[in-house]
Amino acid sequence: MNWAAVLREVVTWHAMAALIGGTLAGLFVGALPGIGPAVGISLLLPLSYFLPVGDALLFYVSLYQAAEYGGSITAIAIRTPGAPNSAAMILDGYPLNQKGQGGKAFAYSLWAAIFASYVGIAGLFLLSQPISGAALALGPAGFAALGLFGLTAVATLSIGSPLKGVIAGLFGLLLSTIGTDLITNVQRFTFHQPALYDGVPLIAVLVGVFALPEAIRLLTSQEQVEKPPLSHAQYRVWLHWPEFRAVFGSMSMGTVLGFLMGLLPGVAGTVPPWITYNIAKAMSRHPERFGSGEPEGIVAPEATNAAVMHSTLIPAFTLGIPGTPTSAVILGAMVIGGLHPGPLLFAKSPDVVYELFCGLLISTAALWVIGLLTTQLWARMSAIPKKPLAIAIISLCITGVFVSRGNPVDIWICFVFGALGYSMDRYGFPVAALVLGLILGSITETNMRQALLISSGSPLIFLQDPISLTFLLLSALAVWGGFWLRTRVLKRAAALASHVASGMDGA
Amino acid sequence: MSGRLTGERCVYVLFALCGLFAVIMSGSFDAGFGPGAAFVPKIFGALCCVFGAIGALAPGGGAQARIAARELGLIAGGFALYGLFFAALGFFWDAVALALFLTLTFVPTRRRWIVLALEILFVLVLYAVFTQLFQVQFPRGLL
């Protein structure tokens, strides 16, 4: 690896503009309740047609990173999480703010995010190449089983009914078959529509299932959002060394556990911060202080969120299996940019990947500086009226989807998937599983058919290949684990969340 | 089965029908169950159909939310409106018209005109960014 060339590419003006722009965009979308990084990235996906793929990736990943802290800003300022996985920040962040120490609460959150981000980036550097190298040993049967494992894990391990997750994943797989079959050149489900010859347009689908449902929800919501306090003193974001040292243990615990949980597809998301919050409380010398502004109750979930964000990129880049909806959208951006996430990514485009990793080192520092200076601004952003924002989002969806291919049919496809995404979200079907099925479907199908051709049609090849057998067993374990998690851990986490939320409503 | 038509059951039925459709349609792609173009649509279509039917026939459980007529009306109405605007105005102006209509419909009266002005400014900025910065050609120009 030519590190000099990589670093030269990272410090160019356009790469710097991408990472700073992504950081600012991430803080903005993170601070707006209900928007979140997945919606933000999907809205800005059309940019990937106009930017070099390295800059586009740097923009989206910087956005993802900054949005994690952005979601905590509103959780601390107005008791409303900017994203679902920031909900745990309300427990101690908001009470600390109410005591007049909002700046300290933001500081604990920001420092924890920065610390965990650098640990996560170190993990990206150390683990990505070895995992990718090991994955190169996969044959067609192994690749197909890997795709099925990823899909099964996301479908069954996320919160909600495993049956709904499996159905969503299967539907995504079916959607991936629309278009021209690469092996036999047969048109499948195109109905002689040229717009579908290359398959369903990925941008239209991603914008439709992520951004449009949120816009509809904002437009029809009657919810009133509390206005943030106006005192400038409450936004002085700084930690002294003794304060940092006092929470270092919880911060480290949240980082390590979050990093490990983020490696597992489907587990990452809203559950890990609640788990580490509980552990921090159990480990603390003063558990009775949790819920009333205890700093350890802020740093543990924040560090977890930041670590999860980075570690989900490892299976996404090395195996092509995104662990969160946002990393699924980032994979979509990579596919649009001509990259092929998975084991071949490091073999064919190592410079792009390592430019991204090096760029993250700089964007994390940028997040720290921008966070120190502008937290008050983002807290005020949360008071933006939701209905005009929703209308702006719809305008951006329509325009952005059109410019990706210049085809008005894409807008109708976006609307159809918007209606589908809204219905799925409303009734508990995980959209992430559908998106993952769509992204992984082509690779999974191609390898499955190649394996069957090698074995002259015998499905035993999937059991005879040891790697394939391992992934199939892991898939079965994921199905069992999904039911176990749902009945034990997730129910407890959900009960804790609702108990605390109802307690805060009554306070 | 509770016999109650809920939004959740409708989604299950939708997925089951899509799976069934995929199985039927894929019969014309190639012959047999071998690893041809029909292989994945048949297998996963059948699974989608079966699981969707299981979910639709399950007795109760999960969200028993009724179909929200207001929400359906909003989505269907949005489709129809956009189609009308597109037919009448062509692209870009249809997006502008939809934004203005939504503003007049959903934004409270006292803020309506300020928001209208800001929305118009926003779409003009979008137009400028895409046409000048990214050199995108819209089918009908601004003028």
Side-chain angles (χ1 to χ4, degrees):
Chain A
M1 173 56 54
N2 188 345
W3 288 104
V6 168
L7 290 171
R8 261 199 309 273
E9 194 56 40
V10 170
V11 295
T12 54
W13 71 267
H14 46 88
M16 288 291 135
L19 64 91
I20 290 176
T23 301
L24 291 171
L27 286 168
F28 179 66
V29 299
L32 292 175
I35 304 297
V39 174
I41 295 176
S42 60
L43 275 175
L44 296 169
L45 262 182
L47 284 180
S48 53
Y49 279 101
F50 305 102
L51 296 176
V53 63
D55 293 344
L57 270 184
L58 198 47
F59 179 86
Y60 297 134
V61 179
S62 299
L63 188 158
Y64 188 11
Q65 179 178 256
E68 297 296 337
Y69 173 61
S72 302
I73 292 176
T74 45
I76 293 169
I78 58 171
R79 210 182 60 178
T80 304
N85 54 330
S86 302
M89 301 301 297
I90 292 176
L91 300 178
D92 282 281
Y94 185 70
L96 192 59
N97 184 23
Q98 290 294 93
K99 290 180 184 176
Q101 298 181 53
K104 281 294 173 210
F106 291 122
Y108 282 117
S109 176
L110 181 62
W111 254 250
I114 300 303
F115 173 81
S117 291
Y118 277 120
V119 172
I121 294 168
L124 281 171
F125 273 105
L126 293 173
L127 296 179
S128 297
Q129 182 76 50
I131 293 175
S132 174
L136 280 174
L138 297 175
F143 265 112
L146 174 63
L148 278 175
F149 165 64
L151 198 52
T152 311
V154 171
T156 58
L157 295 180
S158 19
I159 290 179
S161 162
L163 176 64
K164 291 179 180 176
V166 168
I167 291 173
L170 287 170
F171 188 69
L173 277 171
L174 281 180
L175 287 176
S176 74
T177 62
I178 295 175
T180 307
D181 178 36
L182 294 175
I183 297 177
T184 61
N185 221 31
V186 169
Q187 294 285 331
R188 298 189 295 189
F189 308 115
T190 58
F191 307 103
H192 306 293
Q193 293 295 322
L196 296 177
Y197 286 169
D198 291 329
V200 285
L202 196 53
I203 285 186
V205 173
L206 293 176
V207 171
V209 296
F210 283 117
L212 274 186
E214 286 300 333
I216 295 171
R217 243 190 303 279
L218 290 174
L219 208 54
T220 54
S221 169
Q222 303 299 322
E223 190 183 311
Q224 297 298 322
V225 177
E226 186 180 322
K227 286 194 176 172
L230 300 178
S231 161
H232 181 73
Q234 290 189 263
Y235 295 97
R236 201 164 292 129
V237 181
W238 191 255
L239 271 190
H240 298 288
W241 172 245
E243 292 168 325
F244 181 83
R245 197 176 54 202
V247 297
F248 185 75
S250 293
M251 193 185 302
S252 302
M253 178 277 297
T255 300
V256 170
L257 288 183
F259 187 87
L260 292 174
M261 285 190 277
L263 291 173
L264 301 173
V267 176
T270 56
V271 173
W274 291 107
I275 292 175
T276 54
Y277 179 87
N278 270 331
I279 295 174
K281 184 176 178 181
M283 281 171 37
S284 173
R285 287 182 213 167
H286 303 284
E288 72 282 359
R289 292 184 191 166
F290 276 70
S292 58
E294 172 60 33
E296 288 180 305
I298 299 173
V299 300
E302 183 65 52
T304 300
N305 280 332
V308 161
M309 174 257 146
H310 290 88
S311 63
T312 57
L313 295 179
I314 294 177
F317 287 168
T318 60
L319 304 175
I321 301 175
T324 59
T326 311
S327 52
V329 180
I330 291 175
L331 281 197
M334 294 175 78
V335 170
I336 292 167
L339 295 177
H340 299 282
L344 295 178
L345 181 66
F346 282 80
K348 290 187 176 177
S349 311
D351 49 341
V352 175
V353 182
Y354 283 109
E355 278 167 25
L356 174 64
F357 292 172
C358 292
L360 276 176
L361 291 171
I362 303 173
S363 70
T364 303
L367 173 61
W368 183 69
V369 173
I370 295 173
L372 285 177
L373 299 173
T374 61
T375 292
Q376 183 179 17
L377 171 67
W378 308 116
R380 288 173 186 269
M381 287 281 183
S382 61
I384 290 178
K386 297 298 174 284
K387 297 185 193 303
L389 181 65
I391 297 167
I393 289 174
I394 292 172
S395 302
L396 187 55
C397 286
I398 295 172
T399 320
V401 163
F402 175 82
V403 301
S404 60
R405 293 202 308 177
N407 193 334
V409 174
D410 288 1
I411 302 172
W412 293 107
I413 295 173
C414 178
F415 280 176
V416 168
F417 279 96
L420 178 65
Y422 183 83
S423 305
M424 287 178 70
D425 215 32
R426 196 181 193 295
Y427 301 116
F429 291 81
V431 170
L434 182 148
V435 169
L436 184 56
L438 179 61
I439 292 175
L440 285 184
S442 177
I443 295 174
T444 305
E445 178 187 8
T446 304
N447 283 284
M448 195 182 290
R449 287 163 67 182
Q450 282 178 351
L452 288 170
L453 282 171
I454 291 170
S455 68
S456 304
S458 168
L460 289 177
I461 187 173
F462 296 106
L463 301 176
Q464 290 164 346
D465 184 313
I467 298 176
S468 168
L469 180 61
T470 303
F471 280 121
L472 288 176
L473 289 173
L474 285 173
S475 300
L477 196 64
V479 172
W480 173 82
F483 284 101
W484 182 81
L485 269 178
R486 186 163 179 264
T487 53
R488 298 280 186 95
V489 176
L490 296 181
K491 273 192 178 174
R492 284 185 189 166
L496 172 65
S498 61
H499 173 72
V500 173
S502 61
M504 295 202 71
D505 285 339
Chain B
M1 183 175 176
S2 72
R4 191 170 164 190
L5 183 62
T6 63
E8 188 183 15
R9 286 197 202 285
C10 285
V11 178
Y12 275 122
V13 168
L14 173 69
F15 284 135
L17 288 176
C18 286
L20 182 64
F21 179 78
V23 171
I24 295 171
M25 280 289 297
S26 59
S28 63
F29 295 158
D30 51 31
F33 244 96
F39 180 65
V40 163
K42 274 185 181 168
I43 289 191
F44 292 114
L47 287 172
C48 196
C49 183
V50 167
F51 287 131
I54 290 173
L57 294 172
Q64 290 292 315
R66 288 183 175 278
I67 299 172
R70 182 170 174 266
E71 290 164 326
L72 268 182
L74 173 66
I75 294 172
F79 266 83
L81 258 178
Y82 179 77
L84 280 174
F85 290 143
F86 183 82
L89 304 169
F91 182 67
F92 193 74
W93 286 114
D94 59 346
V96 174
L98 184 65
L100 298 184
F101 179 85
L102 292 175
T103 304
L104 291 171
T105 306
F106 287 97
V107 178
T109 313
R110 58 189 169 86
R111 288 181 182 169
R112 192 170 291 166
W113 304 112
I114 300 171
V115 172
L116 259 177
L118 288 173
E119 296 285 355
I120 291 172
L121 184 63
F122 178 72
V123 292
L124 285 175
V125 167
L126 272 184
Y127 184 86
V129 166
F130 283 122
T131 55
Q132 303 305 315
L133 196 60
F134 297 125
Q135 304 299 316
V136 173
Q137 300 288 326
F138 288 130
R140 293 187 192 185
L142 196 56
L143 295 176

